[in-house]
Amino acid sequence: MDNKAIKKLESDLWEAADLLRQGSKLTSQQYCMPVLGLLFLRYAYSRFKKVEEEILKGRPVRNGRVMPVEASDFAEKSALYLPKEAQYSYLVNLPDDIKKANLVNASGQPLNSLGDVVNYAMELVEAQSEQLAGVLPKDYTIFSDDLLDELLRIFNNNALDEVGGDVIGRIYEYFLSKFAPAVASDDGVFFTPKSLVKMIVNILEPTSGVLADIACGSGGMFVQSGDFVNSKGMSANKAMTFYGQEKVEYNAQLCLMNMAVHGLTGVIKSGDDANSFYHDAHNLAGCCDYVMANPPFNVDKVKAKGASDAGRLPFGLPGVNDAGEIGNANYLWISYFYAYLNETGRAGFVMASSATDSNKGKDKDIREKLIKTGHVDVMISVGNNFFYTKSLPCSLWFFDKGKADELKDKVLFIDARNYFTVVDRTLNEWSEWQLKNLNAIVWLYRGEVENYKALLEEYHTVLGDGAFEELLHNQEEKIAALRGEAKVAVESAAKKDKKKVQAGYDEKIAEYEEQLSIAKEAVWLYSKFGDGEYKDVSGLCKIADRAEIEGKGWSLTPGVYVGVAPVEDDGVDFHERMEEIHEELLSLQAESNRLMEIISQNMKEMGI
């Protein structure tokens, strides 16, 4: 199943499930967790069947019967064992009338509805995994049996058996992202858009060691890090140790389910004892190889004494008001992320744009001390509308305690506010190729030219050989020719076939336009850095040393350093064009007056 088919599957499943929600009296908040729980159960069953098949190969036979599989067999393969009553096939094949089936749980208590049966299935799954204990949703009795039965059948799509567990994990993420705008009760704190997470992971390049996210939400940092490590041919669970803190228990449940769906294990703590302002829940200060986070921005009324007692403040407390409170916690988070790193650790996190040059309280003093460590690595400005429930811009901060000596007193600034793909009217993102291009700037700054050249080769693999500008031009010509061909074909087709013919051409044109977008990104990158030599680009990137940063008042705002991109000369004389526009306007006004006279005359003739 290719990427296009998977996207269609995601969309079809969401549309079907959301249609059922609209027909019920349930809110998105009520609906979200149970639906994700069913997706998790479907994933667990898919993985169970796959591992069971492996176990049964060469299974011993006694008295003519193959020995049945047991929970211990699955433990040996780091897989989740599912008792019969927790297997998805069992649930979807239950009789319509649950009461007449006389089902009972392990304690002999009757299961009188399909909701009771699914709740019991979740209890059985939790009993098999210490990590999932108390995590899975068990409120399925809020659904009518008919609605729950239909949901179970929606996720029993045969295509899921063909594509396997990894894609179910992707579908889980897709559902999580679709729920995010409706469910988020605190400005979407629990969900960080995938392109921001990917950018952080790509720049930090986690390979092995301890990774902490002390504002872990639904666990996107862990999932993307796991994907990154696995893509390098390693096992994320063997190479990495994941630790998370999340004050909101609901979000921590999402995190643990999200990790389990992606085959990851980790230690996640939640509740008041996991409030990162006042607790280092895992005692990880100074121990982490990687720190990633998207903390809530601009939190106020943090108790200064509680934060001070909890430590992790290498640069001191931010400003404290007369009430003994920290009015803005942004620099608490920034200090924490630095404090968790070991002697070679890297950190990457999302932060409010205002923090890059904040002068509130002691913010500037903390920023100056931080810069003087030499460990600030990369700063990226991000444009508007990257979050599902926030329209404001943000910034990405990166620390590296293991920076090469030649980069010790330097910071790479990237202003990416005008570089993105529009998803819809209220949402922007970085495409896969845009993520690679921004990452390529970091590679060149670090002297990793081979990575840059490998990306150019990747472009050529997709687009073909030749100069990128020429490949772009050829693709534009192909699309123009195909549009012309489509117009002729549709006009000459029978009336009943016109829509079908147009749809066929639209699909081809969409494929060509995808290639065109890739060619544009290749031209964007190559036109700036050629075969792999870093240079400052006005309006985009600049490497600044400590002296220059000091001269800018210790600001870490990329726009202060990169300047403004020059406006491209389109070859048109300004005054000449203005005269043409003025003449055109006069002509349009004259035509308007003439039409008004005709209309007025006609109305008189009609006696109006």
Side-chain angles (χ1 to χ4, degrees), residues 472-485:
L472 173 62
H473 179 67
N474 292 343
Q475 199 65 27
E476 290 173 333
E477 289 189 335
K478 285 180 184 178
I479 292 173
L482 191 58
R483 289 188 188 281
E485 183 183 322

Side-chain angles (χ1 to χ4, degrees), residues 206-442:
T207 52
S208 63
V210 173
L211 188 161
D213 181 349
I214 61 169
C216 65
S218 59
M221 301 292 179
F222 300 136
V223 170
Q224 286 302 316
S225 295
D227 287 348
F228 184 90
V229 175
N230 290 335
S231 72
K232 302 300 180 184
M234 300 177 285
S235 167
N237 278 332
K238 292 180 180 178
M240 304 290 299
T241 305
F242 301 108
Y243 291 98
Q245 281 183 230
E246 172 56 51
K247 181 184 176 184
V248 182
E249 294 186 9
Y250 177 87
N251 297 342
Q253 286 178 278
L254 288 173
C255 177
L256 285 163
M257 287 167 60
N258 199 7
M259 293 179 74
V261 161
H262 289 83
L264 298 175
T265 58
V267 183
I268 311 298
K269 292 192 176 182
S270 62
D272 289 340
D273 289 342
N275 184 331
S276 296
F277 291 128
Y278 308 124
H279 300 281
D280 177 5
H282 301 287
N283 296 314
L284 288 175
C287 300
C288 297
D289 297 280
Y290 307 98
V291 172
M292 305 180 191
N294 171 31
F297 303 160
N298 304 320
V299 176
D300 60 4
K301 298 183 179 179
V302 177
K303 300 299 181 183
K305 185 178 186 307
S308 180
D309 290 346
R312 302 163 297 157
L313 297 169
F315 311 112
L317 274 171
V320 179
N321 61 26
D322 293 340
E325 297 171 339
I326 296 166
N328 188 307
N330 289 342
Y331 272 81
L332 276 181
W333 288 116
I334 292 167
S335 297
Y336 295 159
F337 300 143
Y338 183 87
Y340 276 104
L341 297 178
N342 62 23
E343 62 277 4
T344 58
R346 288 181 172 182
F349 53 92
V350 189
M351 183 49 63
S353 289
S354 58
T356 56
D357 57 6
S358 170
N359 290 321
K360 294 179 180 178
K362 297 181 180 178
D363 290 358
K364 184 179 179 181
D365 294 338
I366 292 174
R367 191 168 60 250
E368 178 182 343
K369 292 174 184 176
L370 176 63
I371 293 167
K372 285 181 176 179
T373 66
H375 297 147
V376 179
D377 192 27
V378 180
M379 297 292 301
I380 301 178
S381 285
V382 183
N384 292 323
N385 295 333
F386 266 69
F387 288 89
Y388 289 94
T389 53
K390 290 178 182 174
S391 61
L392 297 175
C394 66
S395 56
L396 302 184
W397 295 50
F398 296 90
F399 303 155
D400 186 356
K401 284 192 172 183
K403 284 170 73 171
D405 289 341
E406 60 270 22
L407 299 177
K408 196 79 172 181
D409 286 324
K410 296 178 180 177
V411 177
L412 171 64
F413 291 96
I414 299 176
D415 190 343
R417 288 176 297 175
N418 297 314
Y419 186 57
F420 52 79
T421 296
V422 176
V423 177
D424 58 37
R425 185 177 57 82
T426 61
L427 185 65
N428 300 324
E429 68 177 12
W430 287 313
S431 70
E432 288 296 319
W433 294 98
Q434 288 173 331
L435 283 164
K436 292 175 182 181
N437 281 356
L438 291 171
N439 201 17
I441 301 173
V442 180

Side-chain angles (χ1 to χ4, degrees), residues 404-530:
D405 289 341
E406 60 270 22
L407 299 177
K408 196 79 172 181
D409 286 324
K410 296 178 180 177
V411 177
L412 171 64
F413 291 96
I414 299 176
D415 190 343
R417 288 176 297 175
N418 297 314
Y419 186 57
F420 52 79
T421 296
V422 176
V423 177
D424 58 37
R425 185 177 57 82
T426 61
L427 185 65
N428 300 324
E429 68 177 12
W430 287 313
S431 70
E432 288 296 319
W433 294 98
Q434 288 173 331
L435 283 164
K436 292 175 182 181
N437 281 356
L438 291 171
N439 201 17
I441 301 173
V442 180
W443 286 335
L444 293 178
Y445 152 72
R446 291 174 176 166
E448 299 169 1
V449 179
E450 290 306 310
N451 287 339
Y452 176 88
K453 290 183 176 179
L455 177 55
L456 295 186
E457 285 301 312
E458 193 176 349
Y459 273 120
H460 280 301
T461 299
V462 174
L463 300 171
D465 295 329
F468 291 128
E469 287 275 8
E470 185 179 339
L471 292 169
L472 173 62
H473 179 67
N474 292 343
Q475 199 65 27
E476 290 173 333
E477 289 189 335
K478 285 180 184 178
I479 292 173
L482 191 58
R483 289 188 188 281
E485 183 183 322
K487 184 178 179 181
V488 172
V490 172
E491 288 175 351
S492 60
K495 188 175 181 179
K496 64 182 178 64
D497 295 329
K498 287 185 183 294
K499 285 188 177 180
K500 184 178 179 181
V501 172
Q502 184 65 61
Y505 274 100
D506 286 345
E507 189 172 335
K508 290 181 183 177
I509 290 170
E511 292 175 3
Y512 278 34
E513 286 180 335
E514 175 65 22
Q515 290 291 99
L516 177 65
S517 68
I518 296 172
K520 286 180 178 178
E521 296 304 337
V523 169
W524 184 92
L525 183 67
Y526 192 79
S527 66
K528 293 169 175 58
F529 305 106

